[in-house]
Amino acid sequence: MPEQLIGKVTHYFDKISVAAIKLEGELKVGDQIHLLGHNADLIQKVDSMQVEGQEVSAAKAGDEIGLKVNAKAKEGAQVYLVTE
């Protein structure tokens, strides 16, 4: 599956399993992402995301989003958009 780098994990909130991700590209609810690096290798669908505490359906380059993840995602992990 082709992948495009769209961001990097800047922080991980362990108690709530949320990764803060600084985006370098666009991301929408329903997209599939691949988190890779620092003992993380996770592919999951984006079910919901937040920008500054507000639920959003899409985010653009430069935004910092909060995203619930299914496994630990350490700071510095790369985030790829899985394209068909």
Side-chain angles (χ1 to χ4, degrees):
M1 291 184 287
E3 297 181 348
Q4 173 189 353
L5 180 66
I6 58 158
K8 183 166 69 171
V9 175
T10 58
H11 192 77
Y12 178 70
F13 301 93
D14 199 29
K15 290 187 187 235
I16 56 174
S17 299
V18 168
I21 300 169
K22 180 74 168 181
L23 290 179
E24 300 168 10
E26 291 187 15
L27 185 64
K28 306 184 296 296
V29 170
D31 285 345
Q32 190 156 329
I33 58 168
H34 184 191
L35 276 80
L36 188 61
H38 301 284
N39 297 327
D41 188 356
L42 163 73
I43 294 177
Q44 76 171 54
K45 184 177 168 189
V46 177
D47 292 323
S48 69
M49 60 182 159
Q50 294 186 344
V51 175
E52 294 181 6
Q54 301 296 311
E55 196 75 25
V56 294
S57 60
K60 62 190 181 318
D63 287 345
E64 185 148 0
I65 65 165
L67 179 67
K68 186 112 170 130
V69 291
N70 299 331
K72 286 189 176 187
K74 291 191 177 176
E75 190 173 311
Q78 305 283 324
V79 182
Y80 295 90
L81 177 64
V82 178
T83 56
E84 310 255 340

